[in-house]
Amino acid sequence: MSVQIVPVLQDNYAYLLVDESTKSAAAVDPVEPEKVLAAAKKAGVTISTVLTTHSHWDHAGGNNKLKQLVKGVEVVGGVGDNAEGVTREVKEGDVVKVGEVEVQVLSTPCHTAGHVCYFVRGEEGKSPGVVFTGDTMFVGGCGNFNDGTPEQMTKAMLYTLGSLPADTLVYVGHEYTLKNFAFGLFAEPNNKELAAKMAWAQAQRAKGLPTVPSTIKDEWATNPFMRVREASIQEFTKQKDEVKGLFAVRKAKNQWVPPP
């Protein structure tokens, strides 16, 4: 199993999840189908499945076009999310097969009502698992609560995603990392791990390289939305309750003005 990053639009990421044994692949949020198909052709793999994290156009907007270009492709999306072109709706606990790879569905409603993430378990001692988080978890951040509640995002971030193995590779929906880290350092200026990660991310972006994947371990160490149990973030939010704390971080991020 391998993952290929396909930058699309201005700051989105689509992905190819490849089963090396069968050369079958899933396209994750292929909003620009031609780019994703070109990447698949170059890699010598065939797209059998589309994994849609949520219904917003910049993630699901290429599904119908890809269905025209790849006859018989299965388009997967969350129950009730009404994403474009979906032929199979899925929920927590469902499994999608990509070749021989088993993809577990994680329900993470909040950004949209039917948002889902997709997790592939790793091989212990050999390779880490991977999770595609759409607009729920970003590197150093989380999505807006468009269709949900602070309780839902707290469950999604701290429990559903936060409970995955620490070495799980996190593939997010957007390249928002520098802005997220700048806010994180505003909220938690003495976080040395975050300062080091910011320096790394700045170097990556200066070279035109992505800042994905992250890991669940790194998100616990650097993401202010994950760190609402830490004294430093509780001091920033004036909240000890994790739900109220996460909502306070969200409100602060919405009001924060990035430095020029």
Side-chain angles (χ1 to χ4, degrees), residues 1-63:
M1 183 261 296
S2 65
V3 175
Q4 185 169 337
I5 302 166
V6 185
V8 288
L9 302 179
Q10 184 177 348
D11 55 29
N12 282 65
Y13 287 125
Y15 300 99
L16 287 173
L17 171 65
V18 176
D19 173 31
E20 305 287 0
S21 66
T22 63
K23 297 298 182 183
S24 290
V28 182
D29 291 348
V31 64
E32 292 191 85
E34 293 87 353
K35 281 189 179 180
V36 177
L37 282 167
K41 183 178 180 181
K42 187 175 180 181
V45 300
T46 301
I47 295 174
S48 61
T49 309
V50 172
L51 299 176
T52 309
T53 61
H54 65 292
S55 57
H56 290 166
W57 76 269
D58 59 327
H59 295 261
N63 288 356

Short mmCIF file of all heavy atoms in Angstrom, two decimals, residues 1-63:
data_model
loop_
_atom_site.label_atom_id
_atom_site.label_comp_id
_atom_site.label_asym_id
_atom_site.label_seq_id
_atom_site.Cartn_x
_atom_site.Cartn_y
_atom_site.Cartn_z
N MET A 1 0.84 -1.19 0.00
CA MET A 1 0.00 0.00 0.00
C MET A 1 0.88 1.24 0.00
O MET A 1 1.85 1.34 0.74
CB MET A 1 -0.90 -0.03 1.24
CG MET A 1 -1.89 1.11 1.34
SD MET A 1 -1.29 2.44 2.44
CE MET A 1 -1.21 1.60 4.01
N SER A 2 0.53 2.18 -0.87
CA SER A 2 1.28 3.43 -0.93
C SER A 2 0.31 4.57 -1.21
O SER A 2 -0.82 4.35 -1.66
CB SER A 2 2.37 3.38 -2.00
OG SER A 2 1.80 3.25 -3.29
N VAL A 3 0.77 5.79 -0.97
CA VAL A 3 -0.05 6.98 -1.19
C VAL A 3 0.73 7.94 -2.07
O VAL A 3 1.92 8.20 -1.85
CB VAL A 3 -0.42 7.67 0.14
CG1 VAL A 3 -1.17 8.97 -0.12
CG2 VAL A 3 -1.24 6.73 1.01
N GLN A 4 0.05 8.47 -3.07
CA GLN A 4 0.64 9.51 -3.92
C GLN A 4 -0.15 10.79 -3.75
O GLN A 4 -1.38 10.80 -3.82
CB GLN A 4 0.63 9.07 -5.39
CG GLN A 4 1.32 10.06 -6.31
CD GLN A 4 1.54 9.49 -7.70
OE1 GLN A 4 1.58 8.27 -7.88
NE2 GLN A 4 1.70 10.36 -8.68
N ILE A 5 0.55 11.88 -3.52
CA ILE A 5 -0.07 13.20 -3.34
C ILE A 5 -0.28 13.83 -4.71
O ILE A 5 0.64 13.86 -5.54
CB ILE A 5 0.83 14.11 -2.48
CG1 ILE A 5 1.10 13.47 -1.12
CG2 ILE A 5 0.21 15.49 -2.31
CD1 ILE A 5 2.24 14.13 -0.35
N VAL A 6 -1.49 14.36 -4.94
CA VAL A 6 -1.78 15.05 -6.20
C VAL A 6 -2.31 16.45 -5.85
O VAL A 6 -3.49 16.60 -5.51
CB VAL A 6 -2.81 14.29 -7.04
CG1 VAL A 6 -2.99 14.99 -8.40
CG2 VAL A 6 -2.41 12.84 -7.23
N PRO A 7 -1.47 17.49 -5.92
CA PRO A 7 -1.96 18.85 -5.65
C PRO A 7 -3.00 19.25 -6.69
O PRO A 7 -2.81 19.03 -7.89
CB PRO A 7 -0.70 19.71 -5.75
CG PRO A 7 0.44 18.76 -5.53
CD PRO A 7 -0.02 17.47 -6.15
N VAL A 8 -4.10 19.84 -6.24
CA VAL A 8 -5.17 20.28 -7.13
C VAL A 8 -5.68 21.65 -6.68
O VAL A 8 -5.47 22.06 -5.53
CB VAL A 8 -6.35 19.27 -7.17
CG1 VAL A 8 -5.94 18.01 -7.91
CG2 VAL A 8 -6.81 18.92 -5.76
N LEU A 9 -6.34 22.35 -7.63
CA LEU A 9 -6.84 23.70 -7.37
C LEU A 9 -5.73 24.57 -6.77
O LEU A 9 -4.56 24.40 -7.10
CB LEU A 9 -8.08 23.65 -6.47
CG LEU A 9 -9.26 22.81 -7.01
CD1 LEU A 9 -10.42 22.83 -6.03
CD2 LEU A 9 -9.71 23.31 -8.38
N GLN A 10 -6.11 25.50 -5.90
CA GLN A 10 -5.12 26.43 -5.36
C GLN A 10 -4.34 25.82 -4.20
O GLN A 10 -3.11 25.97 -4.12
CB GLN A 10 -5.80 27.72 -4.90
CG GLN A 10 -4.82 28.79 -4.41
CD GLN A 10 -5.51 30.09 -4.03
OE1 GLN A 10 -6.67 30.29 -4.33
NE2 GLN A 10 -4.78 30.97 -3.37
N ASP A 11 -5.04 25.14 -3.30
CA ASP A 11 -4.35 24.62 -2.11
C ASP A 11 -4.93 23.29 -1.64
O ASP A 11 -4.70 22.87 -0.51
CB ASP A 11 -4.38 25.63 -0.96
CG ASP A 11 -5.79 26.08 -0.60
OD1 ASP A 11 -6.74 25.30 -0.80
OD2 ASP A 11 -5.96 27.22 -0.11
N ASN A 12 -5.69 22.62 -2.51
CA ASN A 12 -6.26 21.31 -2.14
C ASN A 12 -5.28 20.18 -2.42
O ASN A 12 -4.37 20.32 -3.24
CB ASN A 12 -7.53 21.03 -2.96
CG ASN A 12 -8.74 21.76 -2.45
OD1 ASN A 12 -8.80 22.98 -2.50
ND2 ASN A 12 -9.73 21.01 -1.97
N TYR A 13 -5.53 19.07 -1.76
CA TYR A 13 -4.82 17.83 -2.08
C TYR A 13 -5.82 16.74 -2.42
O TYR A 13 -6.77 16.49 -1.68
CB TYR A 13 -3.97 17.35 -0.90
CG TYR A 13 -2.73 18.19 -0.67
CD1 TYR A 13 -2.48 18.77 0.57
CD2 TYR A 13 -1.80 18.39 -1.68
CE1 TYR A 13 -1.35 19.54 0.79
CE2 TYR A 13 -0.66 19.15 -1.48
CZ TYR A 13 -0.43 19.72 -0.24
OH TYR A 13 0.69 20.48 -0.03
N ALA A 14 -5.61 16.10 -3.57
CA ALA A 14 -6.20 14.82 -3.88
C ALA A 14 -5.12 13.77 -3.66
O ALA A 14 -3.92 14.11 -3.55
CB ALA A 14 -6.72 14.78 -5.31
N TYR A 15 -5.52 12.52 -3.60
CA TYR A 15 -4.54 11.45 -3.34
C TYR A 15 -4.89 10.21 -4.15
O TYR A 15 -6.06 9.97 -4.49
CB TYR A 15 -4.54 11.06 -1.85
CG TYR A 15 -4.19 12.19 -0.92
CD1 TYR A 15 -5.18 12.90 -0.26
CD2 TYR A 15 -2.86 12.56 -0.70
CE1 TYR A 15 -4.86 13.95 0.60
CE2 TYR A 15 -2.53 13.60 0.15
CZ TYR A 15 -3.53 14.29 0.79
OH TYR A 15 -3.23 15.33 1.63
N LEU A 16 -3.87 9.43 -4.42
CA LEU A 16 -4.06 8.07 -4.92
C LEU A 16 -3.62 7.11 -3.82
O LEU A 16 -2.48 7.18 -3.34
CB LEU A 16 -3.21 7.82 -6.16
CG LEU A 16 -3.67 8.49 -7.46
CD1 LEU A 16 -2.62 8.27 -8.53
CD2 LEU A 16 -5.02 7.94 -7.91
N LEU A 17 -4.55 6.25 -3.39
CA LEU A 17 -4.24 5.17 -2.47
C LEU A 17 -4.07 3.92 -3.31
O LEU A 17 -5.03 3.46 -3.94
CB LEU A 17 -5.37 5.00 -1.46
CG LEU A 17 -5.29 3.77 -0.56
CD1 LEU A 17 -4.09 3.83 0.36
CD2 LEU A 17 -6.58 3.61 0.25
N VAL A 18 -2.86 3.37 -3.33
CA VAL A 18 -2.52 2.31 -4.29
C VAL A 18 -2.31 0.98 -3.58
O VAL A 18 -1.59 0.91 -2.57
CB VAL A 18 -1.24 2.69 -5.07
CG1 VAL A 18 -0.81 1.55 -6.00
CG2 VAL A 18 -1.45 3.98 -5.85
N ASP A 19 -2.97 -0.05 -4.09
CA ASP A 19 -2.67 -1.42 -3.68
C ASP A 19 -1.61 -1.95 -4.65
O ASP A 19 -1.91 -2.23 -5.82
CB ASP A 19 -3.92 -2.29 -3.73
CG ASP A 19 -3.60 -3.75 -3.46
OD1 ASP A 19 -2.64 -4.02 -2.71
OD2 ASP A 19 -4.29 -4.62 -4.01
N GLU A 20 -0.39 -2.08 -4.16
CA GLU A 20 0.72 -2.46 -5.04
C GLU A 20 0.54 -3.86 -5.63
O GLU A 20 0.99 -4.13 -6.75
CB GLU A 20 2.04 -2.41 -4.25
CG GLU A 20 2.33 -1.07 -3.58
CD GLU A 20 2.73 0.01 -4.56
OE1 GLU A 20 2.78 -0.27 -5.77
OE2 GLU A 20 2.97 1.15 -4.12
N SER A 21 -0.15 -4.74 -4.91
CA SER A 21 -0.25 -6.13 -5.37
C SER A 21 -1.17 -6.27 -6.57
O SER A 21 -0.96 -7.16 -7.41
CB SER A 21 -0.74 -7.03 -4.23
OG SER A 21 -2.07 -6.71 -3.86
N THR A 22 -2.18 -5.42 -6.67
CA THR A 22 -3.13 -5.53 -7.79
C THR A 22 -3.07 -4.35 -8.75
O THR A 22 -3.73 -4.38 -9.79
CB THR A 22 -4.57 -5.62 -7.25
OG1 THR A 22 -4.88 -4.40 -6.56
CG2 THR A 22 -4.74 -6.80 -6.30
N LYS A 23 -2.30 -3.33 -8.37
CA LYS A 23 -2.22 -2.09 -9.16
C LYS A 23 -3.59 -1.40 -9.27
O LYS A 23 -3.84 -0.64 -10.22
CB LYS A 23 -1.65 -2.34 -10.56
CG LYS A 23 -0.21 -2.85 -10.53
CD LYS A 23 0.74 -1.85 -9.89
CE LYS A 23 2.17 -2.34 -9.89
NZ LYS A 23 3.08 -1.39 -9.19
N SER A 24 -4.44 -1.66 -8.30
CA SER A 24 -5.69 -0.93 -8.18
C SER A 24 -5.47 0.28 -7.28
O SER A 24 -4.62 0.25 -6.38
CB SER A 24 -6.79 -1.81 -7.56
OG SER A 24 -7.18 -2.82 -8.44
N ALA A 25 -6.25 1.34 -7.51
CA ALA A 25 -6.08 2.55 -6.72
C ALA A 25 -7.43 3.18 -6.42
O ALA A 25 -8.38 3.06 -7.19
CB ALA A 25 -5.20 3.56 -7.46
N ALA A 26 -7.48 3.88 -5.29
CA ALA A 26 -8.61 4.74 -4.97
C ALA A 26 -8.15 6.18 -5.13
O ALA A 26 -7.04 6.55 -4.72
CB ALA A 26 -9.09 4.51 -3.54
N ALA A 27 -9.00 6.99 -5.74
CA ALA A 27 -8.74 8.43 -5.84
C ALA A 27 -9.50 9.12 -4.71
O ALA A 27 -10.72 8.98 -4.61
CB ALA A 27 -9.20 8.96 -7.19
N VAL A 28 -8.78 9.82 -3.86
CA VAL A 28 -9.39 10.53 -2.74
C VAL A 28 -9.64 11.98 -3.16
O VAL A 28 -8.70 12.69 -3.52
CB VAL A 28 -8.49 10.48 -1.49
CG1 VAL A 28 -9.17 11.18 -0.32
CG2 VAL A 28 -8.15 9.03 -1.12
N ASP A 29 -10.90 12.40 -3.13
CA ASP A 29 -11.30 13.77 -3.45
C ASP A 29 -10.68 14.29 -4.76
O ASP A 29 -10.03 15.35 -4.78
CB ASP A 29 -10.96 14.71 -2.29
CG ASP A 29 -11.81 14.47 -1.05
OD1 ASP A 29 -12.82 13.75 -1.15
OD2 ASP A 29 -11.48 15.01 0.02
N PRO A 30 -10.93 13.59 -5.87
CA PRO A 30 -10.28 13.96 -7.14
C PRO A 30 -11.00 15.10 -7.86
O PRO A 30 -11.59 14.91 -8.94
CB PRO A 30 -10.37 12.65 -7.94
CG PRO A 30 -11.65 12.04 -7.46
CD PRO A 30 -11.75 12.37 -6.00
N VAL A 31 -10.93 16.29 -7.31
CA VAL A 31 -11.68 17.43 -7.86
C VAL A 31 -11.22 17.81 -9.27
O VAL A 31 -12.00 18.34 -10.06
CB VAL A 31 -11.63 18.63 -6.89
CG1 VAL A 31 -10.21 19.15 -6.73
CG2 VAL A 31 -12.56 19.75 -7.36
N GLU A 32 -9.97 17.53 -9.59
CA GLU A 32 -9.48 17.71 -10.97
C GLU A 32 -9.14 16.33 -11.54
O GLU A 32 -8.00 15.88 -11.47
CB GLU A 32 -8.25 18.63 -10.98
CG GLU A 32 -8.56 20.06 -10.59
CD GLU A 32 -7.41 21.01 -10.87
OE1 GLU A 32 -7.30 21.49 -12.00
OE2 GLU A 32 -6.61 21.26 -9.94
N PRO A 33 -10.15 15.66 -12.11
CA PRO A 33 -9.98 14.26 -12.51
C PRO A 33 -8.84 14.02 -13.50
O PRO A 33 -8.15 13.00 -13.40
CB PRO A 33 -11.33 13.92 -13.16
CG PRO A 33 -12.29 14.89 -12.61
CD PRO A 33 -11.52 16.15 -12.37
N GLU A 34 -8.65 14.95 -14.42
CA GLU A 34 -7.60 14.74 -15.42
C GLU A 34 -6.21 14.66 -14.75
O GLU A 34 -5.38 13.85 -15.16
CB GLU A 34 -7.63 15.85 -16.47
CG GLU A 34 -8.87 15.84 -17.35
CD GLU A 34 -10.04 16.62 -16.76
OE1 GLU A 34 -9.94 17.07 -15.59
OE2 GLU A 34 -11.06 16.79 -17.46
N LYS A 35 -5.98 15.52 -13.77
CA LYS A 35 -4.69 15.49 -13.07
C LYS A 35 -4.50 14.17 -12.33
O LYS A 35 -3.41 13.58 -12.33
CB LYS A 35 -4.61 16.65 -12.06
CG LYS A 35 -4.27 17.98 -12.66
CD LYS A 35 -4.00 19.00 -11.56
CE LYS A 35 -3.63 20.36 -12.14
NZ LYS A 35 -3.37 21.36 -11.08
N VAL A 36 -5.57 13.71 -11.69
CA VAL A 36 -5.48 12.47 -10.91
C VAL A 36 -5.30 11.28 -11.84
O VAL A 36 -4.50 10.37 -11.57
CB VAL A 36 -6.73 12.32 -10.02
CG1 VAL A 36 -6.68 11.00 -9.25
CG2 VAL A 36 -6.83 13.49 -9.04
N LEU A 37 -6.00 11.28 -12.96
CA LEU A 37 -5.85 10.19 -13.92
C LEU A 37 -4.46 10.18 -14.55
O LEU A 37 -3.89 9.11 -14.80
CB LEU A 37 -6.92 10.30 -15.01
CG LEU A 37 -8.31 9.82 -14.60
CD1 LEU A 37 -9.35 10.26 -15.62
CD2 LEU A 37 -8.34 8.31 -14.43
N ALA A 38 -3.91 11.36 -14.78
CA ALA A 38 -2.55 11.43 -15.32
C ALA A 38 -1.55 10.85 -14.32
O ALA A 38 -0.61 10.13 -14.70
CB ALA A 38 -2.19 12.88 -15.66
N ALA A 39 -1.75 11.15 -13.04
CA ALA A 39 -0.87 10.60 -12.00
C ALA A 39 -1.01 9.08 -11.92
O ALA A 39 -0.02 8.36 -11.74
CB ALA A 39 -1.20 11.23 -10.65
N ALA A 40 -2.25 8.59 -12.07
CA ALA A 40 -2.48 7.14 -12.05
C ALA A 40 -1.81 6.46 -13.24
O ALA A 40 -1.17 5.40 -13.10
CB ALA A 40 -3.98 6.85 -12.05
N LYS A 41 -1.92 7.08 -14.41
CA LYS A 41 -1.30 6.51 -15.60
C LYS A 41 0.22 6.45 -15.45
O LYS A 41 0.84 5.44 -15.78
CB LYS A 41 -1.69 7.35 -16.82
CG LYS A 41 -1.15 6.79 -18.13
CD LYS A 41 -1.61 7.63 -19.32
CE LYS A 41 -1.08 7.07 -20.64
NZ LYS A 41 -1.52 7.89 -21.80
N LYS A 42 0.77 7.53 -14.93
CA LYS A 42 2.23 7.58 -14.73
C LYS A 42 2.70 6.51 -13.76
O LYS A 42 3.78 5.93 -13.90
CB LYS A 42 2.63 8.97 -14.23
CG LYS A 42 4.13 9.19 -14.15
CD LYS A 42 4.46 10.64 -13.77
CE LYS A 42 5.96 10.85 -13.70
NZ LYS A 42 6.31 12.24 -13.31
N ALA A 43 1.86 6.24 -12.74
CA ALA A 43 2.20 5.23 -11.73
C ALA A 43 1.87 3.81 -12.18
O ALA A 43 2.21 2.84 -11.49
CB ALA A 43 1.47 5.54 -10.43
N GLY A 44 1.18 3.69 -13.32
CA GLY A 44 0.83 2.37 -13.82
C GLY A 44 -0.26 1.69 -13.03
O GLY A 44 -0.27 0.46 -12.90
N VAL A 45 -1.21 2.47 -12.52
CA VAL A 45 -2.30 1.91 -11.72
C VAL A 45 -3.64 2.29 -12.33
O VAL A 45 -3.74 3.24 -13.10
CB VAL A 45 -2.23 2.37 -10.24
CG1 VAL A 45 -0.91 1.93 -9.62
CG2 VAL A 45 -2.41 3.88 -10.11
N THR A 46 -4.68 1.54 -11.96
CA THR A 46 -6.03 1.75 -12.46
C THR A 46 -6.93 2.19 -11.31
O THR A 46 -6.96 1.54 -10.26
CB THR A 46 -6.59 0.45 -13.07
OG1 THR A 46 -5.74 0.04 -14.14
CG2 THR A 46 -8.00 0.68 -13.60
N ILE A 47 -7.65 3.29 -11.49
CA ILE A 47 -8.56 3.78 -10.46
C ILE A 47 -9.84 2.95 -10.48
O ILE A 47 -10.56 2.92 -11.49
CB ILE A 47 -8.87 5.27 -10.65
CG1 ILE A 47 -7.59 6.10 -10.45
CG2 ILE A 47 -9.96 5.73 -9.69
CD1 ILE A 47 -7.75 7.58 -10.77
N SER A 48 -10.12 2.28 -9.37
CA SER A 48 -11.33 1.46 -9.26
C SER A 48 -12.37 2.12 -8.37
O SER A 48 -13.56 1.77 -8.45
CB SER A 48 -10.98 0.09 -8.66
OG SER A 48 -10.43 0.23 -7.35
N THR A 49 -11.93 3.07 -7.54
CA THR A 49 -12.80 3.62 -6.50
C THR A 49 -12.48 5.10 -6.30
O THR A 49 -11.32 5.52 -6.43
CB THR A 49 -12.57 2.89 -5.16
OG1 THR A 49 -12.65 1.48 -5.38
CG2 THR A 49 -13.57 3.31 -4.11
N VAL A 50 -13.51 5.87 -5.99
CA VAL A 50 -13.33 7.24 -5.52
C VAL A 50 -13.76 7.28 -4.05
O VAL A 50 -14.84 6.81 -3.70
CB VAL A 50 -14.18 8.24 -6.33
CG1 VAL A 50 -14.14 9.63 -5.70
CG2 VAL A 50 -13.68 8.31 -7.77
N LEU A 51 -12.90 7.83 -3.21
CA LEU A 51 -13.22 8.02 -1.79
C LEU A 51 -13.47 9.51 -1.55
O LEU A 51 -12.53 10.32 -1.62
CB LEU A 51 -12.07 7.52 -0.91
CG LEU A 51 -11.71 6.04 -1.03
CD1 LEU A 51 -10.49 5.71 -0.18
CD2 LEU A 51 -12.88 5.15 -0.65
N THR A 52 -14.71 9.87 -1.30
CA THR A 52 -15.10 11.26 -1.12
C THR A 52 -15.24 11.55 0.37
O THR A 52 -16.04 10.91 1.05
CB THR A 52 -16.46 11.54 -1.81
OG1 THR A 52 -16.41 11.09 -3.16
CG2 THR A 52 -16.79 13.02 -1.77
N THR A 53 -14.46 12.51 0.86
CA THR A 53 -14.55 12.82 2.29
C THR A 53 -15.80 13.62 2.63
O THR A 53 -16.40 13.40 3.68
CB THR A 53 -13.31 13.59 2.78
OG1 THR A 53 -13.20 14.84 2.07
CG2 THR A 53 -12.04 12.77 2.60
N HIS A 54 -16.19 14.55 1.72
CA HIS A 54 -17.38 15.34 1.99
C HIS A 54 -17.86 16.04 0.73
O HIS A 54 -17.19 16.02 -0.30
CB HIS A 54 -17.17 16.32 3.14
CG HIS A 54 -16.16 17.40 2.88
ND1 HIS A 54 -14.82 17.15 2.75
CD2 HIS A 54 -16.31 18.75 2.74
CE1 HIS A 54 -14.18 18.29 2.55
NE2 HIS A 54 -15.06 19.27 2.53
N SER A 55 -19.01 16.69 0.85
CA SER A 55 -19.77 17.14 -0.32
C SER A 55 -19.32 18.46 -0.92
O SER A 55 -19.79 18.83 -2.00
CB SER A 55 -21.25 17.26 0.05
OG SER A 55 -21.42 18.15 1.15
N HIS A 56 -18.45 19.22 -0.27
CA HIS A 56 -18.07 20.53 -0.80
C HIS A 56 -17.43 20.38 -2.19
O HIS A 56 -16.71 19.42 -2.45
CB HIS A 56 -17.13 21.25 0.17
CG HIS A 56 -17.83 21.70 1.42
ND1 HIS A 56 -17.15 22.13 2.55
CD2 HIS A 56 -19.15 21.79 1.72
CE1 HIS A 56 -18.04 22.46 3.48
NE2 HIS A 56 -19.25 22.27 3.00
N TRP A 57 -17.72 21.36 -3.04
CA TRP A 57 -17.36 21.24 -4.46
C TRP A 57 -15.87 21.03 -4.67
O TRP A 57 -15.46 20.33 -5.62
CB TRP A 57 -17.82 22.49 -5.23
CG TRP A 57 -16.93 23.68 -4.97
CD1 TRP A 57 -17.09 24.62 -4.01
CD2 TRP A 57 -15.73 24.03 -5.68
NE1 TRP A 57 -16.07 25.54 -4.07
CE2 TRP A 57 -15.22 25.20 -5.08
CE3 TRP A 57 -15.04 23.46 -6.76
CZ2 TRP A 57 -14.05 25.82 -5.51
CZ3 TRP A 57 -13.87 24.08 -7.19
CH2 TRP A 57 -13.39 25.25 -6.57
N ASP A 58 -15.04 21.61 -3.79
CA ASP A 58 -13.60 21.51 -4.00
C ASP A 58 -13.05 20.14 -3.58
O ASP A 58 -11.84 19.90 -3.67
CB ASP A 58 -12.85 22.64 -3.27
CG ASP A 58 -13.08 22.68 -1.78
OD1 ASP A 58 -14.19 22.33 -1.31
OD2 ASP A 58 -12.15 23.07 -1.04
N HIS A 59 -13.93 19.25 -3.17
CA HIS A 59 -13.55 17.86 -2.88
C HIS A 59 -14.33 16.88 -3.75
O HIS A 59 -13.75 15.93 -4.27
CB HIS A 59 -13.77 17.56 -1.40
CG HIS A 59 -12.89 18.36 -0.50
ND1 HIS A 59 -11.72 17.87 0.04
CD2 HIS A 59 -12.98 19.65 -0.08
CE1 HIS A 59 -11.13 18.82 0.77
NE2 HIS A 59 -11.89 19.90 0.69
N ALA A 60 -15.64 17.12 -3.89
CA ALA A 60 -16.51 16.20 -4.62
C ALA A 60 -16.80 16.65 -6.05
O ALA A 60 -17.41 15.90 -6.82
CB ALA A 60 -17.83 16.01 -3.87
N GLY A 61 -16.36 17.84 -6.43
CA GLY A 61 -16.77 18.45 -7.69
C GLY A 61 -16.24 17.76 -8.94
O GLY A 61 -16.67 18.09 -10.05
N GLY A 62 -15.32 16.81 -8.80
CA GLY A 62 -14.82 16.08 -9.96
C GLY A 62 -15.40 14.70 -10.12
O GLY A 62 -15.06 13.98 -11.06
N ASN A 63 -16.31 14.31 -9.21
CA ASN A 63 -16.78 12.92 -9.21
C ASN A 63 -17.52 12.53 -10.49
O ASN A 63 -17.27 11.47 -11.08
CB ASN A 63 -17.69 12.68 -8.01
CG ASN A 63 -16.92 12.62 -6.69
OD1 ASN A 63 -15.69 12.68 -6.68
ND2 ASN A 63 -17.63 12.50 -5.59
#
